[in-house]
Amino acid sequence: MGRIIILKIGGSVITEKDKPLTPRLEGIRSAAEAVAEFGEPLVLVHGAGSFGHFLAKKYGLSRHPSMASPEAVAEIRDSVMKLDSMVIEALRSKGVQVYWLQPFALYNIGGIHEKWKTILTNLIQQGISPISFGDVIPTSEGFRIISGDEIVRDLAELLHPVRVVFAMDVDGIYRNYRKDERPIEELSIEEAKRLAVDPVKIDVTGGMEGKLKEAIKIARIGINVHFTNGLKKEHLIKALKGKDHEGTLVKGKLLA
Ligand code: IPE
């Protein structure tokens, strides 16, 4: 069986975080090049950055289902699709062959349907990288935002990859995020938990806290989780290889 590696390309890598609906073209290109140069098919998930998040905030949508206006849903969806096609185009232009999967298709009540295990594994074996993304999805109680981090965690539980990599716009997880501070090299699950409940100790965005929480859940099933800078091609390639990559490793440990 081909080994599986899951890569989340954060919205901060592919969009200008502070400029609504603006792609970060050099980030999209650099991440695509890293994936191409790594050379093996990956399970890919990307975030929505200043596309989806900006609009989700504007219309008051969150991870909890709510009755959103038709305009809100259509506009958010449209924005993530636009970003998604830019990412896919960049990957394909570098020779990475992808198969697009909308998150809604993956999910069954309670999680990702078991059938996807074989389908995704087969795609990887055939040299195709399945790609999904943070999105707005319908539920029986309205629409909700599903983050790419959540999809990554559910995919990790289903597929048991050899490692999971989160690519961001900073080098890794920091204790205080001061100038010249280097990211923490390695975190045990226990240390990561302490950081995740004390957001003043980590990078300021709530996004990082959420990522760390998903990473802890993945590490608890015995999978190493690497945080790296997706804007630095060499860092990302090393992280995909599971080598020392100047980022942060949350060490996986199977907890009984
Ligand atoms: C968010 O996905 C999806 C929408 C807001 C529609 P993510 O939460 O994975 O996006 P990033 O990586 O944080 O930008």
Side-chain angles (χ1 to χ4, degrees), residues 8-15 17 45-57 61 63 76-77 79-80 83 133-137 144-152 167 207-208 211:
K8 160 83 195 284
I9 307 173
S12 60
V13 175
I14 55 178
T15 72
K17 255 197 316 203
V45 178
H46 69 77
S50 68
F51 280 67
H53 280 295
F54 166 73
L55 293 171
K57 200 165 169 194
L61 266 85
R63 288 176 77 157
I76 297 171
R77 193 90 218 290
S79 82
V80 289
L83 179 62
F133 50 93
D135 197 6
V136 56
I137 55 168
R144 82 169 186 101
I145 300 294
I146 183 159
S147 83
D149 300 343
E150 189 180 336
I151 300 170
V152 165
M208 187 68 91
K211 255 181 225 318

mmCIF file of all heavy atoms in Angstrom, residues 8-15 17 45-57 61 63 76-77 79-80 83 133-137 144-152 167 207-208 211, ligand 1:
data_model
loop_
_atom_site.group_PDB
_atom_site.id
_atom_site.type_symbol
_atom_site.label_atom_id
_atom_site.label_comp_id
_atom_site.label_asym_id
_atom_site.label_seq_id
_atom_site.Cartn_x
_atom_site.Cartn_y
_atom_site.Cartn_z
ATOM 1 N N LYS A 8 -2.094 20.142 4.771
ATOM 2 C CA LYS A 8 -3.044 21.265 4.797
ATOM 3 C C LYS A 8 -2.290 22.531 4.393
ATOM 4 O O LYS A 8 -1.321 22.926 5.053
ATOM 5 C CB LYS A 8 -3.629 21.436 6.199
ATOM 6 C CG LYS A 8 -4.246 22.824 6.483
ATOM 7 C CD LYS A 8 -5.669 22.979 5.978
ATOM 8 C CE LYS A 8 -6.144 24.432 5.940
ATOM 9 N NZ LYS A 8 -6.502 25.033 7.193
ATOM 10 N N ILE A 9 -2.724 23.133 3.304
ATOM 11 C CA ILE A 9 -2.126 24.401 2.878
ATOM 12 C C ILE A 9 -3.021 25.506 3.452
ATOM 13 O O ILE A 9 -4.172 25.687 3.021
ATOM 14 C CB ILE A 9 -2.051 24.506 1.333
ATOM 15 C CG1 ILE A 9 -1.339 23.273 0.743
ATOM 16 C CG2 ILE A 9 -1.329 25.790 0.931
ATOM 17 C CD1 ILE A 9 -1.372 23.210 -0.788
ATOM 18 N N GLY A 10 -2.502 26.185 4.449
ATOM 19 C CA GLY A 10 -3.297 27.179 5.174
ATOM 20 C C GLY A 10 -3.704 28.348 4.295
ATOM 21 O O GLY A 10 -2.989 28.736 3.362
ATOM 22 N N GLY A 11 -4.838 28.938 4.644
ATOM 23 C CA GLY A 11 -5.316 30.116 3.920
ATOM 24 C C GLY A 11 -4.313 31.260 3.952
ATOM 25 O O GLY A 11 -4.271 32.080 3.027
ATOM 26 N N SER A 12 -3.473 31.302 5.003
ATOM 27 C CA SER A 12 -2.492 32.394 5.105
ATOM 28 C C SER A 12 -1.372 32.247 4.082
ATOM 29 O O SER A 12 -0.667 33.206 3.786
ATOM 30 C CB SER A 12 -1.897 32.425 6.517
ATOM 31 O OG SER A 12 -1.246 31.205 6.793
ATOM 32 N N VAL A 13 -1.212 31.049 3.537
ATOM 33 C CA VAL A 13 -0.176 30.824 2.509
ATOM 34 C C VAL A 13 -0.703 31.255 1.138
ATOM 35 O O VAL A 13 0.034 31.803 0.326
ATOM 36 C CB VAL A 13 0.235 29.320 2.471
ATOM 37 C CG1 VAL A 13 1.209 29.037 1.335
ATOM 38 C CG2 VAL A 13 0.796 28.872 3.807
ATOM 39 N N ILE A 14 -1.977 31.022 0.902
ATOM 40 C CA ILE A 14 -2.517 31.206 -0.456
ATOM 41 C C ILE A 14 -3.348 32.475 -0.637
ATOM 42 O O ILE A 14 -3.790 32.766 -1.728
ATOM 43 C CB ILE A 14 -3.315 29.946 -0.898
ATOM 44 C CG1 ILE A 14 -4.419 29.614 0.117
ATOM 45 C CG2 ILE A 14 -2.391 28.759 -1.101
ATOM 46 C CD1 ILE A 14 -5.288 28.427 -0.270
ATOM 47 N N THR A 15 -3.583 33.196 0.483
ATOM 48 C CA THR A 15 -4.304 34.477 0.359
ATOM 49 C C THR A 15 -3.599 35.536 1.192
ATOM 50 O O THR A 15 -2.845 35.218 2.109
ATOM 51 C CB THR A 15 -5.769 34.382 0.874
ATOM 52 O OG1 THR A 15 -5.760 34.297 2.310
ATOM 53 C CG2 THR A 15 -6.507 33.184 0.312
ATOM 54 N N LYS A 17 -3.913 37.614 4.038
ATOM 55 C CA LYS A 17 -4.798 37.524 5.205
ATOM 56 C C LYS A 17 -5.593 38.802 5.473
ATOM 57 O O LYS A 17 -6.755 38.751 5.845
ATOM 58 C CB LYS A 17 -3.960 37.209 6.449
ATOM 59 C CG LYS A 17 -4.105 35.776 6.911
ATOM 60 C CD LYS A 17 -3.641 35.518 8.324
ATOM 61 C CE LYS A 17 -2.331 36.137 8.752
ATOM 62 N NZ LYS A 17 -1.710 35.446 9.880
ATOM 63 N N VAL A 45 -5.432 19.400 1.352
ATOM 64 C CA VAL A 45 -6.584 20.179 1.819
ATOM 65 C C VAL A 45 -6.106 21.621 1.913
ATOM 66 O O VAL A 45 -5.006 21.854 2.412
ATOM 67 C CB VAL A 45 -7.061 19.703 3.221
ATOM 68 C CG1 VAL A 45 -8.233 20.553 3.709
ATOM 69 C CG2 VAL A 45 -7.451 18.222 3.209
ATOM 70 N N HIS A 46 -6.891 22.570 1.420
ATOM 71 C CA HIS A 46 -6.456 23.958 1.602
ATOM 72 C C HIS A 46 -7.508 24.789 2.320
ATOM 73 O O HIS A 46 -8.692 24.447 2.357
ATOM 74 C CB HIS A 46 -6.014 24.601 0.275
ATOM 75 C CG HIS A 46 -7.116 24.843 -0.698
ATOM 76 N ND1 HIS A 46 -7.993 25.883 -0.572
ATOM 77 C CD2 HIS A 46 -7.483 24.166 -1.819
ATOM 78 C CE1 HIS A 46 -8.850 25.845 -1.579
ATOM 79 N NE2 HIS A 46 -8.578 24.811 -2.347
ATOM 80 N N GLY A 47 -7.040 25.877 2.891
ATOM 81 C CA GLY A 47 -7.925 26.759 3.654
ATOM 82 C C GLY A 47 -8.542 27.823 2.766
ATOM 83 O O GLY A 47 -8.351 27.836 1.542
ATOM 84 N N ALA A 48 -9.272 28.746 3.403
ATOM 85 C CA ALA A 48 -10.005 29.757 2.644
ATOM 86 C C ALA A 48 -9.467 31.163 2.857
ATOM 87 O O ALA A 48 -9.801 32.078 2.099
ATOM 88 C CB ALA A 48 -11.479 29.718 3.024
ATOM 89 N N GLY A 49 -8.645 31.351 3.893
ATOM 90 C CA GLY A 49 -8.021 32.642 4.155
ATOM 91 C C GLY A 49 -8.970 33.819 4.009
ATOM 92 O O GLY A 49 -10.109 33.770 4.474
ATOM 93 N N SER A 50 -8.498 34.859 3.331
ATOM 94 C CA SER A 50 -9.300 36.085 3.239
ATOM 95 C C SER A 50 -10.419 35.970 2.199
ATOM 96 O O SER A 50 -11.127 36.941 1.949
ATOM 97 C CB SER A 50 -8.402 37.281 2.932
ATOM 98 O OG SER A 50 -7.883 37.166 1.623
ATOM 99 N N PHE A 51 -10.577 34.804 1.612
ATOM 100 C CA PHE A 51 -11.747 34.587 0.748
ATOM 101 C C PHE A 51 -12.918 34.160 1.655
ATOM 102 O O PHE A 51 -13.728 34.967 2.047
ATOM 103 C CB PHE A 51 -11.448 33.513 -0.318
ATOM 104 C CG PHE A 51 -10.652 34.039 -1.491
ATOM 105 C CD1 PHE A 51 -9.345 34.459 -1.332
ATOM 106 C CD2 PHE A 51 -11.218 34.119 -2.757
ATOM 107 C CE1 PHE A 51 -8.624 34.960 -2.402
ATOM 108 C CE2 PHE A 51 -10.508 34.618 -3.839
ATOM 109 C CZ PHE A 51 -9.209 35.038 -3.668
ATOM 110 N N GLY A 52 -12.934 32.884 2.032
ATOM 111 C CA GLY A 52 -14.055 32.359 2.826
ATOM 112 C C GLY A 52 -14.230 33.010 4.179
ATOM 113 O O GLY A 52 -15.353 33.330 4.581
ATOM 114 N N HIS A 53 -13.124 33.240 4.898
ATOM 115 C CA HIS A 53 -13.255 33.778 6.260
ATOM 116 C C HIS A 53 -13.867 35.173 6.268
ATOM 117 O O HIS A 53 -14.705 35.490 7.108
ATOM 118 C CB HIS A 53 -11.889 33.814 6.968
ATOM 119 C CG HIS A 53 -11.491 32.483 7.507
ATOM 120 N ND1 HIS A 53 -12.188 31.861 8.522
ATOM 121 C CD2 HIS A 53 -10.475 31.651 7.184
ATOM 122 C CE1 HIS A 53 -11.613 30.701 8.796
ATOM 123 N NE2 HIS A 53 -10.571 30.542 7.992
ATOM 124 N N PHE A 54 -13.422 35.975 5.320
ATOM 125 C CA PHE A 54 -13.931 37.350 5.250
ATOM 126 C C PHE A 54 -15.451 37.337 5.065
ATOM 127 O O PHE A 54 -16.191 38.017 5.773
ATOM 128 C CB PHE A 54 -13.230 38.086 4.092
ATOM 129 C CG PHE A 54 -13.884 39.363 3.714
ATOM 130 C CD1 PHE A 54 -13.774 40.481 4.538
ATOM 131 C CD2 PHE A 54 -14.622 39.472 2.544
ATOM 132 C CE1 PHE A 54 -14.405 41.671 4.195
ATOM 133 C CE2 PHE A 54 -15.249 40.670 2.188
ATOM 134 C CZ PHE A 54 -15.134 41.768 3.023
ATOM 135 N N LEU A 55 -15.908 36.508 4.130
ATOM 136 C CA LEU A 55 -17.340 36.486 3.844
ATOM 137 C C LEU A 55 -18.130 35.782 4.948
ATOM 138 O O LEU A 55 -19.238 36.195 5.291
ATOM 139 C CB LEU A 55 -17.593 35.810 2.488
ATOM 140 C CG LEU A 55 -17.070 36.595 1.277
ATOM 141 C CD1 LEU A 55 -17.172 35.752 0.009
ATOM 142 C CD2 LEU A 55 -17.838 37.901 1.098
ATOM 143 N N ALA A 56 -17.546 34.729 5.524
ATOM 144 C CA ALA A 56 -18.236 34.024 6.606
ATOM 145 C C ALA A 56 -18.470 34.995 7.767
ATOM 146 O O ALA A 56 -19.544 35.006 8.382
ATOM 147 C CB ALA A 56 -17.405 32.825 7.060
ATOM 148 N N LYS A 57 -17.472 35.817 8.035
ATOM 149 C CA LYS A 57 -17.600 36.805 9.110
ATOM 150 C C LYS A 57 -18.661 37.852 8.739
ATOM 151 O O LYS A 57 -19.531 38.175 9.541
ATOM 152 C CB LYS A 57 -16.233 37.469 9.330
ATOM 153 C CG LYS A 57 -16.111 38.109 10.662
ATOM 154 C CD LYS A 57 -14.677 38.427 10.984
ATOM 155 C CE LYS A 57 -14.662 39.310 12.219
ATOM 156 N NZ LYS A 57 -13.393 39.933 12.430
ATOM 157 N N LEU A 61 -21.609 33.491 9.591
ATOM 158 C CA LEU A 61 -21.612 32.029 9.606
ATOM 159 C C LEU A 61 -20.442 31.504 10.429
ATOM 160 O O LEU A 61 -19.365 32.113 10.461
ATOM 161 C CB LEU A 61 -21.500 31.468 8.182
ATOM 162 C CG LEU A 61 -22.848 31.156 7.529
ATOM 163 C CD1 LEU A 61 -23.391 32.428 6.904
ATOM 164 C CD2 LEU A 61 -22.682 30.072 6.487
ATOM 165 N N ARG A 63 -18.825 27.620 12.632
ATOM 166 C CA ARG A 63 -18.785 26.148 12.585
ATOM 167 C C ARG A 63 -20.099 25.539 13.043
ATOM 168 O O ARG A 63 -20.348 24.367 12.852
ATOM 169 C CB ARG A 63 -17.628 25.639 13.457
ATOM 170 C CG ARG A 63 -16.288 25.918 12.820
ATOM 171 C CD ARG A 63 -15.160 25.501 13.710
ATOM 172 N NE ARG A 63 -14.981 24.051 13.676
ATOM 173 C CZ ARG A 63 -13.834 23.454 13.983
ATOM 174 N NH1 ARG A 63 -12.791 24.139 14.333
ATOM 175 N NH2 ARG A 63 -13.743 22.142 13.936
ATOM 176 N N ILE A 76 -20.167 32.817 -0.408
ATOM 177 C CA ILE A 76 -19.022 32.156 0.254
ATOM 178 C C ILE A 76 -18.522 31.008 -0.630
ATOM 179 O O ILE A 76 -17.339 30.854 -0.890
ATOM 180 C CB ILE A 76 -19.401 31.631 1.665
ATOM 181 C CG1 ILE A 76 -19.788 32.788 2.582
ATOM 182 C CG2 ILE A 76 -18.243 30.819 2.273
ATOM 183 C CD1 ILE A 76 -20.378 32.383 3.915
ATOM 184 N N ARG A 77 -19.476 30.218 -1.088
ATOM 185 C CA ARG A 77 -19.132 29.063 -1.934
ATOM 186 C C ARG A 77 -18.366 29.513 -3.180
ATOM 187 O O ARG A 77 -17.340 28.951 -3.551
ATOM 188 C CB ARG A 77 -20.429 28.342 -2.344
ATOM 189 C CG ARG A 77 -20.208 26.987 -2.953
ATOM 190 C CD ARG A 77 -20.221 25.974 -1.847
ATOM 191 N NE ARG A 77 -19.277 24.895 -1.960
ATOM 192 C CZ ARG A 77 -19.307 23.901 -2.829
ATOM 193 N NH1 ARG A 77 -20.171 23.841 -3.773
ATOM 194 N NH2 ARG A 77 -18.424 22.931 -2.758
ATOM 195 N N SER A 79 -16.636 32.154 -3.570
ATOM 196 C CA SER A 79 -15.282 32.644 -3.263
ATOM 197 C C SER A 79 -14.314 31.475 -3.045
ATOM 198 O O SER A 79 -13.187 31.497 -3.537
ATOM 199 C CB SER A 79 -15.298 33.577 -2.056
ATOM 200 O OG SER A 79 -15.297 32.850 -0.846
ATOM 201 N N VAL A 80 -14.760 30.451 -2.310
ATOM 202 C CA VAL A 80 -13.826 29.337 -2.083
ATOM 203 C C VAL A 80 -13.545 28.567 -3.378
ATOM 204 O O VAL A 80 -12.434 28.094 -3.599
ATOM 205 C CB VAL A 80 -14.243 28.359 -0.937
ATOM 206 C CG1 VAL A 80 -14.111 28.994 0.408
ATOM 207 C CG2 VAL A 80 -15.608 27.784 -1.117
ATOM 208 N N LEU A 83 -10.865 30.495 -5.303
ATOM 209 C CA LEU A 83 -9.536 30.269 -4.724
ATOM 210 C C LEU A 83 -9.066 28.852 -5.055
ATOM 211 O O LEU A 83 -7.920 28.625 -5.452
ATOM 212 C CB LEU A 83 -9.604 30.477 -3.203
ATOM 213 C CG LEU A 83 -8.316 30.249 -2.428
ATOM 214 C CD1 LEU A 83 -7.232 31.227 -2.868
ATOM 215 C CD2 LEU A 83 -8.557 30.397 -0.916
ATOM 216 N N PHE A 133 -11.022 21.164 0.583
ATOM 217 C CA PHE A 133 -10.829 22.553 1.038
ATOM 218 C C PHE A 133 -11.859 22.927 2.097
ATOM 219 O O PHE A 133 -12.934 22.322 2.178
ATOM 220 C CB PHE A 133 -10.976 23.503 -0.166
ATOM 221 C CG PHE A 133 -12.224 23.243 -0.971
ATOM 222 C CD1 PHE A 133 -13.396 23.936 -0.713
ATOM 223 C CD2 PHE A 133 -12.240 22.265 -1.946
ATOM 224 C CE1 PHE A 133 -14.558 23.667 -1.428
ATOM 225 C CE2 PHE A 133 -13.398 21.984 -2.665
ATOM 226 C CZ PHE A 133 -14.548 22.678 -2.411
ATOM 227 N N GLY A 134 -11.520 23.942 2.898
ATOM 228 C CA GLY A 134 -12.487 24.498 3.844
ATOM 229 C C GLY A 134 -13.644 25.075 3.056
ATOM 230 O O GLY A 134 -13.438 25.700 2.013
ATOM 231 N N ASP A 135 -14.880 24.903 3.558
ATOM 232 C CA ASP A 135 -16.038 25.203 2.713
ATOM 233 C C ASP A 135 -17.244 25.583 3.571
ATOM 234 O O ASP A 135 -17.204 25.513 4.803
ATOM 235 C CB ASP A 135 -16.357 23.935 1.892
ATOM 236 C CG ASP A 135 -17.241 24.186 0.685
ATOM 237 O OD1 ASP A 135 -17.536 25.343 0.377
ATOM 238 O OD2 ASP A 135 -17.627 23.188 0.040
ATOM 239 N N VAL A 136 -18.339 25.937 2.897
ATOM 240 C CA VAL A 136 -19.626 26.098 3.575
ATOM 241 C C VAL A 136 -20.471 24.899 3.148
ATOM 242 O O VAL A 136 -20.567 24.591 1.967
ATOM 243 C CB VAL A 136 -20.286 27.462 3.216
ATOM 244 C CG1 VAL A 136 -20.467 27.664 1.723
ATOM 245 C CG2 VAL A 136 -21.622 27.636 3.937
ATOM 246 N N ILE A 137 -21.023 24.179 4.148
ATOM 247 C CA ILE A 137 -21.756 22.960 3.791
ATOM 248 C C ILE A 137 -23.167 22.946 4.399
ATOM 249 O O ILE A 137 -23.381 23.465 5.498
ATOM 250 C CB ILE A 137 -20.997 21.663 4.210
ATOM 251 C CG1 ILE A 137 -20.641 21.666 5.691
ATOM 252 C CG2 ILE A 137 -19.769 21.432 3.357
ATOM 253 C CD1 ILE A 137 -20.161 20.304 6.197
ATOM 254 N N ARG A 144 -23.168 25.417 7.631
ATOM 255 C CA ARG A 144 -22.064 25.687 8.544
ATOM 256 C C ARG A 144 -20.747 25.738 7.788
ATOM 257 O O ARG A 144 -20.642 25.227 6.665
ATOM 258 C CB ARG A 144 -22.007 24.635 9.652
ATOM 259 C CG ARG A 144 -21.326 23.333 9.284
ATOM 260 C CD ARG A 144 -21.130 22.543 10.574
ATOM 261 N NE ARG A 144 -20.373 21.327 10.388
ATOM 262 C CZ ARG A 144 -19.082 21.214 10.700
ATOM 263 N NH1 ARG A 144 -18.407 22.234 11.167
ATOM 264 N NH2 ARG A 144 -18.471 20.062 10.526
ATOM 265 N N ILE A 145 -19.764 26.347 8.435
ATOM 266 C CA ILE A 145 -18.425 26.394 7.867
ATOM 267 C C ILE A 145 -17.669 25.157 8.349
ATOM 268 O O ILE A 145 -17.686 24.831 9.537
ATOM 269 C CB ILE A 145 -17.675 27.668 8.353
ATOM 270 C CG1 ILE A 145 -18.418 28.946 7.936
ATOM 271 C CG2 ILE A 145 -16.233 27.663 7.857
ATOM 272 C CD1 ILE A 145 -18.491 29.211 6.447
ATOM 273 N N ILE A 146 -17.050 24.479 7.412
ATOM 274 C CA ILE A 146 -16.179 23.374 7.806
ATOM 275 C C ILE A 146 -14.756 23.823 7.493
ATOM 276 O O ILE A 146 -14.465 24.261 6.377
ATOM 277 C CB ILE A 146 -16.564 22.047 7.105
ATOM 278 C CG1 ILE A 146 -15.678 20.922 7.620
ATOM 279 C CG2 ILE A 146 -16.508 22.129 5.586
ATOM 280 C CD1 ILE A 146 -16.251 19.530 7.405
ATOM 281 N N SER A 147 -13.884 23.779 8.500
ATOM 282 C CA SER A 147 -12.517 24.256 8.246
ATOM 283 C C SER A 147 -11.683 23.122 7.653
ATOM 284 O O SER A 147 -11.956 21.931 7.876
ATOM 285 C CB SER A 147 -11.875 24.779 9.535
ATOM 286 O OG SER A 147 -11.348 23.718 10.277
ATOM 287 N N GLY A 148 -10.688 23.522 6.913
ATOM 288 C CA GLY A 148 -9.770 22.531 6.347
ATOM 289 C C GLY A 148 -9.091 21.729 7.447
ATOM 290 O O GLY A 148 -8.814 20.537 7.275
ATOM 291 N N ASP A 149 -8.847 22.369 8.594
ATOM 292 C CA ASP A 149 -8.181 21.670 9.707
ATOM 293 C C ASP A 149 -9.045 20.509 10.212
ATOM 294 O O ASP A 149 -8.545 19.441 10.557
ATOM 295 C CB ASP A 149 -7.918 22.640 10.871
ATOM 296 C CG ASP A 149 -7.028 23.792 10.464
ATOM 297 O OD1 ASP A 149 -6.360 23.684 9.414
ATOM 298 O OD2 ASP A 149 -7.003 24.806 11.183
ATOM 299 N N GLU A 150 -10.357 20.767 10.246
ATOM 300 C CA GLU A 150 -11.289 19.726 10.693
ATOM 301 C C GLU A 150 -11.297 18.562 9.689
ATOM 302 O O GLU A 150 -11.285 17.387 10.083
ATOM 303 C CB GLU A 150 -12.675 20.395 10.774
ATOM 304 C CG GLU A 150 -13.738 19.579 11.418
ATOM 305 C CD GLU A 150 -15.075 20.345 11.439
ATOM 306 O OE1 GLU A 150 -15.096 21.602 11.384
ATOM 307 O OE2 GLU A 150 -16.109 19.661 11.489
ATOM 308 N N ILE A 151 -11.275 18.893 8.409
ATOM 309 C CA ILE A 151 -11.248 17.848 7.375
ATOM 310 C C ILE A 151 -9.959 17.030 7.505
ATOM 311 O O ILE A 151 -9.978 15.801 7.429
ATOM 312 C CB ILE A 151 -11.352 18.472 5.954
ATOM 313 C CG1 ILE A 151 -12.652 19.257 5.819
ATOM 314 C CG2 ILE A 151 -11.248 17.397 4.875
ATOM 315 C CD1 ILE A 151 -12.751 20.101 4.549
ATOM 316 N N VAL A 152 -8.855 17.729 7.745
ATOM 317 C CA VAL A 152 -7.564 17.042 7.892
ATOM 318 C C VAL A 152 -7.605 16.055 9.063
ATOM 319 O O VAL A 152 -7.171 14.914 8.955
ATOM 320 C CB VAL A 152 -6.423 18.080 8.096
ATOM 321 C CG1 VAL A 152 -5.158 17.421 8.605
ATOM 322 C CG2 VAL A 152 -6.147 18.807 6.788
ATOM 323 N N ALA A 167 0.902 23.660 6.631
ATOM 324 C CA ALA A 167 1.723 24.745 6.078
ATOM 325 C C ALA A 167 1.049 26.078 6.400
ATOM 326 O O ALA A 167 -0.147 26.255 6.155
ATOM 327 C CB ALA A 167 1.854 24.582 4.568
ATOM 328 N N GLY A 207 -6.852 31.080 14.886
ATOM 329 C CA GLY A 207 -6.623 30.010 13.919
ATOM 330 C C GLY A 207 -5.541 29.061 14.376
ATOM 331 O O GLY A 207 -5.653 27.848 14.216
ATOM 332 N N MET A 208 -4.505 29.614 14.968
ATOM 333 C CA MET A 208 -3.394 28.772 15.415
ATOM 334 C C MET A 208 -3.822 27.865 16.572
ATOM 335 O O MET A 208 -3.445 26.708 16.637
ATOM 336 C CB MET A 208 -2.228 29.671 15.850
ATOM 337 C CG MET A 208 -0.980 28.909 16.173
ATOM 338 S SD MET A 208 -0.287 28.165 14.692
ATOM 339 C CE MET A 208 0.818 29.461 14.178
ATOM 340 N N LYS A 211 -5.845 25.080 15.145
ATOM 341 C CA LYS A 211 -4.952 24.139 14.452
ATOM 342 C C LYS A 211 -4.267 23.214 15.443
ATOM 343 O O LYS A 211 -4.149 22.012 15.236
ATOM 344 C CB LYS A 211 -3.841 24.922 13.756
ATOM 345 C CG LYS A 211 -4.006 25.022 12.274
ATOM 346 C CD LYS A 211 -2.843 25.788 11.695
ATOM 347 C CE LYS A 211 -3.304 26.797 10.689
ATOM 348 N NZ LYS A 211 -4.335 26.369 9.764
HETATM 349 C C1 IPE B 1 -12.323 27.976 6.245
HETATM 350 O O1 IPE B 1 -11.325 27.008 6.056
HETATM 351 C C2 IPE B 1 -13.476 27.769 5.292
HETATM 352 C C3 IPE B 1 -14.346 28.956 5.115
HETATM 353 C C4 IPE B 1 -14.299 30.043 5.831
HETATM 354 C C5 IPE B 1 -15.349 28.875 4.055
HETATM 355 P P1 IPE B 1 -9.995 27.039 6.952
HETATM 356 O O2 IPE B 1 -10.364 27.375 8.362
HETATM 357 O O3 IPE B 1 -9.297 25.748 6.756
HETATM 358 O O4 IPE B 1 -9.158 28.217 6.324
HETATM 359 P P2 IPE B 1 -7.768 28.828 6.832
HETATM 360 O O5 IPE B 1 -6.685 27.886 6.483
HETATM 361 O O6 IPE B 1 -7.888 29.015 8.334
HETATM 362 O O7 IPE B 1 -7.675 30.131 6.107
#
